[in-house]
Amino acid sequence: MSPPVVDISVVVPCFRGESSLPELCARLVRTLEARHTPFEIILVDDSARPALWAVIEKLAQGDEHIVGVRLMRNFGQHNATVCGFRHARGRWVVTLDEDLQNPPEEIGALLARAEQADADVVYGLPRVRQGPGWRSLASRLIMVIPRRVMRVAFDISAFRLISGRVAAEVARSERHDIILDIYLSWVTDRITAAEVRHEHPEGLRSSYTLGRLVTVFFNLLFNYATFPLRLASVGGFLLSVLSAIAGGVVVFSRITGTITVPGWASLAVAVLFSSGVTLLGVGILSEYVARIFLQINQKPQAVVRQATNTSRLTVAEPRAEPARQETLHGHR
């Protein structure tokens, strides 16, 4: 018999939350109990440190709503979150940081926005962003890439509300360096945002140092964006055209007598021609690499939102979801 479906699953990737997790879980339980619907809290230990796991074990023993998942080593925030998706049973899945920057009391605002906009994913955007100025600036610069790839007009955050159907689809990915937000946009285009309160507890120290932010930037740029490949493709084509034009100018100048140095024209044409062919080849190769890149990234071919005559389907739907008007939904 399959386990009962809960209304909300909260997934919290944990790295150094020994001091903040007790308060976070207490506030989560109070907030979700007030809704009078079944819920669960999944704490994923991504630190491989005994002290943190001891705190998670104690919290899980004290409340049946809390489930602890301990990873073998540190795999990263996004990997830990996707691991939490594999254990979640909710119609809705909420993700938030362990450090109390994302107030649990704001979950209701995300749910209200999802209902209002008929959305699959809702991001909680801080009304006023707290934290060091350099880090906020670096984060905003990094957000340029996911905003372009996801085709959204707002910055993303770790405070998300995700439909259970979408979370289950994302959980199928086995990429070792997954960027969760990009994958969400590959599954659905019903993505919106809601303004929420943002807190900055005293003594808070982010695990995202400048070095880690740079690593995330390059991961986004080269693992999930085809922009560099497209740039090489277009640049190679344009430069090959310019090389052909320049070669024609050299030949015309030799015929009209403007160039009188013996052998210079033939050498220049040979160099320009070979360079043009090489650059054109680079452009063509970049187009093939871009397609291989998307295949390796496991971009979904199509994702079914809803279907008629469900008794004829051979694959069971993974989770319950409110009825929607649209029949099918595929990737863009």
Side-chain angles (χ1 to χ4, degrees):
M1 183 176 176
S2 60
V5 175
V6 299
D7 186 44
I8 297 176
S9 296
V10 180
V11 175
V12 185
C14 307
F15 185 69
R16 54 160 74 109
E18 292 92 335
S19 59
S20 60
L21 279 177
E23 180 182 347
L24 174 63
C25 289
R27 291 170 63 179
L28 278 169
V29 170
R30 283 198 304 269
T31 300
L32 297 174
E33 279 184 341
R35 293 182 53 83
H36 304 292
T37 57
F39 67 91
E40 62 183 359
I41 302 169
I42 301 171
L43 306 178
V44 183
D45 180 0
D46 187 40
S47 71
R49 291 187 290 112
L52 178 58
W53 180 243
V55 172
I56 292 175
E57 274 191 315
K58 184 176 179 180
L59 290 170
Q61 291 169 0
D63 195 316
E64 62 179 5
H65 296 107
I66 300 175
V67 177
V69 178
R70 189 181 193 185
L71 303 185
M72 296 284 285
R73 63 174 180 83
N74 173 239
F75 287 91
Q77 183 184 30
H78 288 246
N79 290 4
T81 304
V82 174
C83 176
F85 286 178
R86 298 191 181 109
H87 293 80
R89 300 171 297 154
R91 292 192 315 113
W92 293 102
V93 178
V94 174
T95 68
L96 74 168
D97 288 335
E98 63 181 350
D99 52 17
L100 299 173
Q101 289 192 80
N102 310 131
E105 295 79 11
E106 297 288 345
I107 291 176
L110 301 185
L111 288 164
R113 178 59 180 161
E115 182 178 354
Q116 177 191 25
D118 195 24
D120 291 317
V121 180
V122 181
Y123 283 94
L125 302 185
R127 297 187 184 96
V128 180
R129 189 179 294 272
Q130 307 290 333
W134 70 266
R135 188 180 181 280
S136 297
L137 177 61
S139 298
R140 295 296 297 271
L141 291 175
I142 290 174
M143 287 301 117
V144 171
I145 297 177
R147 285 178 62 167
R148 180 182 176 89
V149 175
M150 298 171 65
R151 301 179 185 178
V152 296
F154 49 83
D155 291 342
I156 59 177
S157 72
F159 194 18
R160 319 173 185 86
L161 174 73
I162 307 166
S163 75
R165 182 74 55 81
V166 171
E169 187 66 33
V170 174
R172 297 181 184 181
S173 172
E174 296 181 355
R175 281 194 60 94
H176 73 281
D177 54 359
I178 187 170
I179 298 295
L180 174 60
D181 305 287
I182 303 296
Y183 219 88
L184 289 172
S185 71
W186 284 353
V187 175
T188 180
D189 60 359
R190 293 185 178 183
I191 301 175
T192 187
E195 284 193 347
V196 296
R197 193 172 77 256
H198 183 248
E199 298 176 353
H200 191 75
E202 215 172 300
L204 174 65
R205 184 165 59 95
S206 173
S207 60
Y208 276 93
T209 61
L210 181 59
R212 287 199 175 194
L213 288 173
V214 171
T215 301
V216 170
F217 174 79
F218 282 108
N219 190 11
L220 282 166
L221 183 62
F222 294 110
N223 284 3
Y224 289 92
T226 57
F227 172 73
L229 292 170
R230 299 297 184 195
L231 182 63
S233 176
V234 174
F237 175 76
L238 292 177
L239 290 174
S240 66
V241 172
L242 291 176
S243 298
I245 294 173
V249 171
V250 170
V251 171
F252 178 78
S253 300
R254 181 68 181 87
I255 293 173
T256 58
T258 305
I259 297 175
T260 58
V261 179
W264 189 91
S266 58
L267 179 62
V269 169
V271 170
L272 290 169
F273 177 78
S274 60
S275 300
V277 171
T278 301
L279 292 170
L280 181 60
V282 169
I284 294 173
L285 183 61
S286 295
E287 288 296 319
Y288 282 102
V289 172
R291 285 153 178 77
I292 295 171
F293 165 89
L294 293 175
Q295 181 67 26
I296 291 175
N297 270 343
Q298 303 175 13
K299 187 172 183 179
Q301 184 184 63
V303 180
V304 176
R305 182 185 297 279
Q306 191 176 350
T308 59
N309 297 328
T310 54
S311 60
R312 299 177 60 185
L313 296 178
T314 57
V315 180
E317 299 293 344
R319 307 183 189 211
E321 186 178 81
R324 297 276 176 86
Q325 299 296 321
E326 204 169 303
T327 302
L328 293 176
H329 172 68
H331 77 285
R332 288 176 288 173

